[in-house]
Amino acid sequence: TARDAAFQADRKSLISIYILCRVLIEIVKQAPEGADEDLSDKLEEIVFTQLKTTDPMSISSSIIKSSNWNSFAELLGWMSERKFISVSDRFIADLEKIPTFVTRDLEPGVHLLILGMRYLRLKNYPLEKFEETADFMKSIAKFFYQAENLSVSLAYAEVISQLLLPLAGSMTAEVNHPTWVEAMTALLSTTAKLQTESSSSKYWASIFRLNVS
């Protein structure tokens, strides 16, 4: 039937997108320094748009769509290896537009946008790269502090933990950098507030992981 044909076509399209993302990830990982900047910028914009416009309900009901969304996030993560400011600024620009209190119908989309940062590659050296990381974390710490929805706060807590843990074992004197100190102080203040406000034990795992980080 026409319905079955449409379903099969949609399924093939989704599988093709997944395969394309995996191929692009390998290309980005192996691309030489200074590869085509215009092409890279266009790809970055397309992938970010796909990530942020994905319907949250479709992800919860389809393993393939969920895998595709995760591949978009992973691809952006690999792109941030060389273009951290460019990729991270896209997230910052969209997160800045989100009000401190989000209506229930918008929460899933905000949640997805935040989780989309999970693969960004933070660096503690050289100094220039670390300062980019510190500036980014300062912005994220501000959004985390301002968030009034518990689900949004928990999304930030989850992602911040994932971003910081890879750095935990390699940082030394960098921890005294003023911007980094400011960001970490803000994070600790917010997690302390959440621990006080969150009466349910099911939220403690996310908050505890962030405190440990």
Side-chain angles (χ1 to χ4, degrees):
T1 65
R3 186 176 179 181
D4 289 337
F7 175 79
Q8 290 298 328
D10 184 53
R11 186 176 177 83
K12 285 179 181 178
S13 174
L14 290 170
I15 292 172
S16 297
I17 291 171
Y18 177 79
I19 294 170
L20 176 60
C21 279
R22 304 322 297 180
V23 171
L24 287 172
I25 286 171
E26 291 307 313
I27 290 173
V28 169
K29 284 163 67 173
Q30 298 173 33
E33 200 72 46
D36 192 323
E37 287 293 326
D38 287 341
L39 183 60
S40 177
D41 289 343
K42 288 175 183 174
L43 176 61
E44 182 187 310
E45 182 177 356
I46 290 169
V47 176
F48 182 74
T49 300
Q50 288 295 317
L51 179 134
K52 73 174 185 176
T53 57
T54 298
D55 177 12
M57 293 302 293
S58 70
I59 288 181
S60 62
S61 61
S62 168
I63 293 175
I64 299 176
K65 289 181 180 179
S66 177
S67 297
N68 283 352
W69 178 86
N70 192 70
S71 293
F72 295 144
E74 195 175 343
L75 179 52
L76 285 170
W78 280 108
M79 296 185 82
S80 76
E81 178 78 29
R82 294 180 182 173
K83 301 175 61 183
F84 184 80
I85 290 181
S86 178
V87 176
S88 62
D89 276 359
R90 291 184 186 274
F91 284 100
I92 296 296
D94 273 36
L95 291 170
E96 279 180 332
K97 299 172 188 174
I98 296 170
T100 55
F101 180 79
V102 181
T103 55
R104 180 168 291 185
D105 60 313
L106 295 178
E107 272 190 23
V110 173
H111 199 266
L112 270 190
L113 179 62
I114 295 168
L115 293 181
M117 297 187 289
R118 68 173 71 181
Y119 296 112
L120 295 186
R121 280 167 165 69
L122 277 55
K123 295 183 178 180
N124 63 325
Y125 63 91
L127 179 60
E128 179 187 355
K129 296 294 184 184
F130 175 66
E131 288 179 338
E132 293 174 2
T133 288
D135 286 337
F136 169 72
M137 286 309 306
K138 181 179 174 181
S139 295
I140 297 303
K142 181 186 74 173
F143 299 145
F144 182 36
Y145 176 79
Q146 293 173 339
E148 296 177 18
N149 300 67
L150 183 58
S151 69
V152 173
S153 295
L154 292 173
Y156 274 119
E158 181 180 339
V159 164
I160 292 168
S161 298
Q162 288 182 292
L163 292 173
L164 292 180
L165 280 174
L167 295 179
S170 59
M171 292 187 67
T172 53
E174 306 98 311
V175 296
N176 297 315
H177 190 288
T179 307
W180 186 258
V181 170
E182 188 177 347
M184 294 305 106
T185 301
L187 287 179
L188 287 171
S189 172
T190 306
T191 53
K193 182 183 72 169
L194 280 174
Q195 284 178 324
T196 302
E197 295 175 355
S198 301
S199 56
S200 176
S201 60
K202 69 180 180 179
Y203 302 132
W204 273 78
S206 296
I207 299 168
F208 177 75
R209 277 198 301 270
L210 179 51
N211 257 332
V212 170
S213 300

